[in-house]
Amino acid sequence: MEYILIFIAAVFVNNVVLAQFLGICPFLGVSKKVETAAGMGAAVTFVLTISTIVTYLVQKFILDPFGLGFMQTICFILIIAALVQMVEIILKKISPSLYQALGVFLPLITTNCCILGVAILVIQKNYNLLESVVYAISTAIGFALALIIFAGIREQIAMTNIPKGMQGTPIALITAGLLAMAFMGFSGIV
C-alpha cells in the first residue's frame, strides 16, 4: 500500500513539474509536438530511474560510510552527466530522428533539476532502495504525463486563432498555469 501511495503522490499530487516546479526548461522547450514530448519523457524516465539507483548506492555505500556527505551534489551531477551521455549515444544509434528532434534538450537532461532533485529527495526522505526506485519511476511518469498533456494542448492551440500578443510563450505559460491548477485537484487524494 505504501508503494501505491508513493506512486499516486509522485504522479498526481506532487507532480515534479506542476507542483514542485522542477524541470521547467524541458517542459516548456520540448512540448511543441507530442512525439517529441513522449521521446523526452522516455529519456527522462530512463535517466531518472538509473541515476536514482546509482546515486542512492553511492550515497549509502561510499559517501555516508566515509563521511563524504559534502560531496553529494558534485558526485550526483557527475553520475547524471555520465548517464545522459550514455542515453545520447544509444539514441543516436537506435533512433536518429528522435535524437534530432530532441536536439539541444537531450544534453540539457544533465542539468535538468528534476533529475538531481529526485536523487537528493530520496536521500532526504530516507527512502530505502525499493521506495527510491518506485519514487523515481513515479516521478518520471508524472513528468512525462505532464509533458505529453501539455504538448497535446499546445498542438491544439497552434491550430487556433490567438491574438498576436498572446502567441508563443504567453499562451504557453497561461496554459501551463491552468494545467498546474488542474493537477491541484488531486491534492486531497494522498
Side-chain angles (χ1 to χ4, degrees), residues 11-188:
V11 173
F12 299 110
V13 179
N14 295 321
N15 187 287
V16 72
V17 176
L18 302 173
Q20 297 179 4
F21 306 112
L22 297 173
I24 296 293
C25 179
F27 179 71
L28 292 174
V30 187
S31 60
K32 292 180 181 167
K33 292 183 180 179
V34 172
E35 180 182 321
T36 308
M40 180 62 137
V44 167
T45 301
F46 177 76
V47 171
L48 187 57
T49 305
I50 299 300
S51 68
T52 300
I53 293 169
V54 174
T55 55
Y56 178 88
L57 294 173
V58 166
Q59 180 74 35
K60 295 299 179 187
F61 295 111
I62 297 173
L63 298 179
D64 286 348
F66 294 108
L68 298 171
F70 63 92
M71 297 288 290
Q72 180 187 54
T73 305
I74 293 170
C75 288
F76 286 10
I77 289 172
L78 291 174
I79 291 166
I80 292 166
L83 290 171
V84 169
Q85 287 300 313
M86 184 177 72
V87 169
E88 195 169 353
I89 291 168
I90 291 169
L91 272 181
K92 198 172 191 178
K93 291 197 184 274
I94 293 176
S95 179
S97 61
L98 180 58
Y99 176 78
Q100 290 287 15
L102 290 174
V104 72
F105 292 101
L106 189 58
L108 285 178
I109 292 176
T110 305
T111 59
N112 186 345
C113 56
C114 169
I115 309 284
L116 181 60
V118 170
I120 292 172
L121 281 172
V122 297
I123 303 300
Q124 288 177 347
K125 292 181 181 209
N126 206 19
Y127 284 157
N128 62 35
L129 183 59
L130 187 55
E131 290 171 335
S132 298
V133 171
V134 169
Y135 182 73
I137 292 171
S138 303
T139 302
I141 290 170
F143 177 83
L145 178 68
L147 191 63
I148 292 168
I149 290 172
F150 189 57
I153 293 170
R154 285 185 78 178
E155 281 185 356
Q156 291 298 314
I157 288 173
M159 294 186 288
T160 61
N161 188 14
I162 297 174
K164 186 172 173 100
M166 293 297 293
Q167 292 176 355
T169 304
I171 194 69
L173 292 174
I174 291 169
T175 305
L178 291 171
L179 188 59
M181 287 174 54
F183 268 70
M184 283 178 60
F186 294 113
S187 63

